[in-house]
PDB file of all heavy atoms in Angstrom:
ATOM      1  N   GLN A 136      -9.032  17.607 -14.105  1.00  0.00           N
ATOM      2  CA  GLN A 136      -7.619  18.033 -14.117  1.00  0.00           C
ATOM      3  C   GLN A 136      -7.017  17.879 -12.730  1.00  0.00           C
ATOM      4  O   GLN A 136      -5.788  17.667 -12.649  1.00  0.00           O
ATOM      5  CB  GLN A 136      -7.521  19.480 -14.578  1.00  0.00           C
ATOM      6  CG  GLN A 136      -7.897  19.700 -16.033  1.00  0.00           C
ATOM      7  CD  GLN A 136      -7.641  21.106 -16.499  1.00  0.00           C
ATOM      8  OE1 GLN A 136      -7.679  22.017 -15.706  1.00  0.00           O
ATOM      9  NE2 GLN A 136      -7.408  21.256 -17.779  1.00  0.00           N
ATOM     10  N   GLN A 137      -7.806  17.989 -11.702  1.00  0.00           N
ATOM     11  CA  GLN A 137      -7.290  17.872 -10.350  1.00  0.00           C
ATOM     12  C   GLN A 137      -6.901  16.462 -10.020  1.00  0.00           C
ATOM     13  O   GLN A 137      -7.657  15.500 -10.277  1.00  0.00           O
ATOM     14  CB  GLN A 137      -8.338  18.357  -9.347  1.00  0.00           C
ATOM     15  CG  GLN A 137      -7.826  18.437  -7.919  1.00  0.00           C
ATOM     16  CD  GLN A 137      -8.886  19.031  -6.989  1.00  0.00           C
ATOM     17  OE1 GLN A 137     -10.020  19.292  -7.387  1.00  0.00           O
ATOM     18  NE2 GLN A 137      -8.494  19.270  -5.745  1.00  0.00           N
ATOM     19  N   ASN A 138      -5.723  16.294  -9.455  1.00  0.00           N
ATOM     20  CA  ASN A 138      -5.237  14.952  -9.092  1.00  0.00           C
ATOM     21  C   ASN A 138      -6.016  14.439  -7.890  1.00  0.00           C
ATOM     22  O   ASN A 138      -6.270  15.138  -6.920  1.00  0.00           O
ATOM     23  CB  ASN A 138      -3.764  15.013  -8.739  1.00  0.00           C
ATOM     24  CG  ASN A 138      -2.914  15.233  -9.979  1.00  0.00           C
ATOM     25  OD1 ASN A 138      -3.232  14.752 -11.082  1.00  0.00           O
ATOM     26  ND2 ASN A 138      -1.838  15.964  -9.828  1.00  0.00           N
ATOM     27  N   ALA A 139      -6.378  13.144  -7.955  1.00  0.00           N
ATOM     28  CA  ALA A 139      -7.109  12.532  -6.857  1.00  0.00           C
ATOM     29  C   ALA A 139      -6.194  12.273  -5.660  1.00  0.00           C
ATOM     30  O   ALA A 139      -4.973  12.012  -5.853  1.00  0.00           O
ATOM     31  CB  ALA A 139      -7.698  11.193  -7.350  1.00  0.00           C
ATOM     32  N   THR A 140      -6.744  12.376  -4.490  1.00  0.00           N
ATOM     33  CA  THR A 140      -6.023  12.061  -3.264  1.00  0.00           C
ATOM     34  C   THR A 140      -6.915  11.296  -2.328  1.00  0.00           C
ATOM     35  O   THR A 140      -8.142  11.480  -2.290  1.00  0.00           O
ATOM     36  CB  THR A 140      -5.552  13.344  -2.524  1.00  0.00           C
ATOM     37  OG1 THR A 140      -6.685  14.065  -2.115  1.00  0.00           O
ATOM     38  CG2 THR A 140      -4.661  14.189  -3.409  1.00  0.00           C
ATOM     39  N   GLU A 141      -6.308  10.323  -1.602  1.00  0.00           N
ATOM     40  CA  GLU A 141      -7.023   9.558  -0.595  1.00  0.00           C
ATOM     41  C   GLU A 141      -6.038   9.338   0.574  1.00  0.00           C
ATOM     42  O   GLU A 141      -5.264   8.422   0.578  1.00  0.00           O
ATOM     43  CB  GLU A 141      -7.462   8.191  -1.126  1.00  0.00           C
ATOM     44  CG  GLU A 141      -8.615   8.211  -2.094  1.00  0.00           C
ATOM     45  CD  GLU A 141      -9.925   8.607  -1.439  1.00  0.00           C
ATOM     46  OE1 GLU A 141     -10.075   8.446  -0.198  1.00  0.00           O
ATOM     47  OE2 GLU A 141     -10.813   9.057  -2.147  1.00  0.00           O
ATOM     48  N   ASN A 142      -6.142  10.225   1.551  1.00  0.00           N
ATOM     49  CA  ASN A 142      -5.276  10.161   2.706  1.00  0.00           C
ATOM     50  C   ASN A 142      -3.820  10.178   2.290  1.00  0.00           C
ATOM     51  O   ASN A 142      -3.356  11.151   1.730  1.00  0.00           O
ATOM     52  CB  ASN A 142      -5.635   8.895   3.546  1.00  0.00           C
ATOM     53  CG  ASN A 142      -7.063   8.890   3.980  1.00  0.00           C
ATOM     54  OD1 ASN A 142      -7.562   9.900   4.489  1.00  0.00           O
ATOM     55  ND2 ASN A 142      -7.753   7.794   3.776  1.00  0.00           N
ATOM     56  N   ARG A 143      -3.059   9.109   2.533  1.00  0.00           N
ATOM     57  CA  ARG A 143      -1.615   9.100   2.210  1.00  0.00           C
ATOM     58  C   ARG A 143      -1.341   8.817   0.734  1.00  0.00           C
ATOM     59  O   ARG A 143      -0.186   8.821   0.315  1.00  0.00           O
ATOM     60  CB  ARG A 143      -0.906   8.060   3.059  1.00  0.00           C
ATOM     61  CG  ARG A 143      -0.991   8.313   4.583  1.00  0.00           C
ATOM     62  CD  ARG A 143      -0.213   7.281   5.335  1.00  0.00           C
ATOM     63  NE  ARG A 143      -0.766   5.925   5.218  1.00  0.00           N
ATOM     64  CZ  ARG A 143      -0.241   4.959   4.533  1.00  0.00           C
ATOM     65  NH1 ARG A 143       0.912   5.162   3.852  1.00  0.00           N
ATOM     66  NH2 ARG A 143      -0.820   3.772   4.488  1.00  0.00           N
ATOM     67  N   PHE A 144      -2.388   8.490  -0.028  1.00  0.00           N
ATOM     68  CA  PHE A 144      -2.226   8.156  -1.421  1.00  0.00           C
ATOM     69  C   PHE A 144      -2.652   9.295  -2.330  1.00  0.00           C
ATOM     70  O   PHE A 144      -3.714   9.891  -2.142  1.00  0.00           O
ATOM     71  CB  PHE A 144      -3.038   6.914  -1.730  1.00  0.00           C
ATOM     72  CG  PHE A 144      -2.666   5.702  -0.923  1.00  0.00           C
ATOM     73  CD1 PHE A 144      -3.261   5.464   0.319  1.00  0.00           C
ATOM     74  CD2 PHE A 144      -1.709   4.820  -1.418  1.00  0.00           C
ATOM     75  CE1 PHE A 144      -2.915   4.351   1.035  1.00  0.00           C
ATOM     76  CE2 PHE A 144      -1.367   3.701  -0.677  1.00  0.00           C
ATOM     77  CZ  PHE A 144      -1.949   3.463   0.559  1.00  0.00           C
ATOM     78  N   SER A 145      -1.829   9.604  -3.300  1.00  0.00           N
ATOM     79  CA  SER A 145      -2.190  10.622  -4.278  1.00  0.00           C
ATOM     80  C   SER A 145      -1.651  10.219  -5.633  1.00  0.00           C
ATOM     81  O   SER A 145      -0.775   9.372  -5.740  1.00  0.00           O
ATOM     82  CB  SER A 145      -1.639  11.997  -3.866  1.00  0.00           C
ATOM     83  OG  SER A 145      -0.210  11.941  -3.809  1.00  0.00           O
ATOM     84  N   VAL A 146      -2.206  10.821  -6.679  1.00  0.00           N
ATOM     85  CA  VAL A 146      -1.767  10.475  -7.996  1.00  0.00           C
ATOM     86  C   VAL A 146      -1.261  11.746  -8.695  1.00  0.00           C
ATOM     87  O   VAL A 146      -1.643  12.873  -8.339  1.00  0.00           O
ATOM     88  CB  VAL A 146      -2.889   9.833  -8.844  1.00  0.00           C
ATOM     89  CG1 VAL A 146      -3.324   8.553  -8.218  1.00  0.00           C
ATOM     90  CG2 VAL A 146      -4.046  10.801  -9.059  1.00  0.00           C
TER      91      VAL A 146
END
Side-chain angles (χ1 to χ4, degrees):
Chain A
Q136 292 185 334
Q137 186 175 6
N138 289 325
T140 63
E141 287 291 338
N142 301 313
R143 298 182 295 108
F144 300 89
S145 61
V146 298

